Amino acid sequence: MKIVVLVKEVPDTYGDRKLSLETGLADRAASERVLDEIGERALEVALSYADANPGTEVQVVSMASEDAAATVRKGLAMGAASALQVVDPGLAGADLGVTARVLAAAVQRAGFDLVITGNLSTDGSGGVLPAMLAEHLGVAQATALSAVEISDSGVSGTRATDAGTAQVSATLPAVISITEALPDARFPNFKGIMAAKKKPFETVSL
């Protein structure tokens, strides 16, 4: 099985948030930049499945500036086998529509059985990208899952609703998004950090 996990570099939640007066966009250099925690949790879901199912390949995919490579590489240190990063000046300030199209193309380039994302990023908090991604890829979606079970042929999970909980499922290939109810991500150890330097890391433009 091939699992692609979308990760994103974001300003540290506990740091200052500022807008650039020149561009009107978020000033990402105003605070420390880190891998989004919800993306780390999504990666943990994939890695936990891979730990229990030999032969599973986990790849991280991101759309970010060239400077974000070191942050994305943390996904490799945590245990992902490879990384794909889309870097292009034309993507500065991209809205959710453009982002979804670009990430869908990147995921198709990578090849996948299952795509796992966070339900929403801590910087933009749009919350619609997983569904838009599934639409572009033409596959099933199961979003905002607070519990996940993956099998060779499908994925299922629990979604919290205003009325209680709902059990949802989809056959593979599919896109799922997870919430902060899922476990915290593992910390990269020294062996993982050293191994990350030798893992495949592909950078592509538009």
Side-chain angles (χ1 to χ4, degrees):
M1 179 182 295
K2 173 73 174 287
I3 302 178
V4 171
V5 181
L6 299 188
V7 296
K8 184 179 185 183
E9 182 185 75
V10 298
D12 190 344
T13 305
Y14 300 101
D16 294 331
R17 301 290 182 93
K18 296 180 180 179
L19 290 178
S20 167
L21 298 181
E22 295 180 0
T23 65
L25 302 175
D27 183 357
R28 296 186 175 275
S31 63
E32 183 181 357
R33 294 178 292 182
V34 298
L35 201 61
D36 201 351
E37 181 185 343
I38 195 65
E40 291 183 351
R41 290 175 189 257
L43 181 54
E44 180 61 35
V45 172
L47 294 176
S48 295
Y49 178 82
D51 290 343
N53 296 272
T56 302
E57 179 185 356
V58 178
Q59 181 175 23
V60 292
V61 170
S62 186
M63 186 185 98
S65 68
E66 188 174 0
D67 295 338
T71 302
V72 175
R73 198 173 291 277
K74 181 182 178 182
L76 299 179
M78 289 171 62
S82 61
L84 171 63
Q85 183 176 347
V86 183
V87 178
D88 198 292
L91 293 173
D95 63 16
L96 283 164
V98 171
T99 301
R101 288 177 59 195
V102 172
L103 287 174
V107 168
Q108 287 177 319
R109 179 187 180 91
F112 71 100
D113 295 299
L114 176 65
V115 180
I116 305 179
T117 80
N119 61 331
L120 50 83
S121 63
T122 56
D123 56 352
S125 301
V128 296
L129 192 140
M132 297 170 76
L133 182 67
E135 181 71 14
H136 283 299
L137 294 173
V139 300
Q141 57 171 298
T143 56
L145 301 182
S146 56
V148 178
E149 290 187 15
I150 304 170
S151 69
D152 290 338
S153 59
V155 61
S156 61
T158 303
R159 176 190 296 144
T161 71
D162 291 339
T165 59
Q167 297 299 123
V168 296
S169 61
T171 55
L172 300 182
V175 173
I176 67 170
S177 69
I178 59 100
T179 71
E180 291 184 348
L182 272 292
D184 290 336
R186 64 193 66 185
F187 288 102
N189 55 31
F190 180 75
K191 182 179 179 181
I193 293 171
M194 297 305 294
K197 298 178 180 180
K198 299 180 180 179
K199 291 181 178 179
F201 192 121
E202 183 181 14
T203 302
V204 296
S205 67
L206 288 177

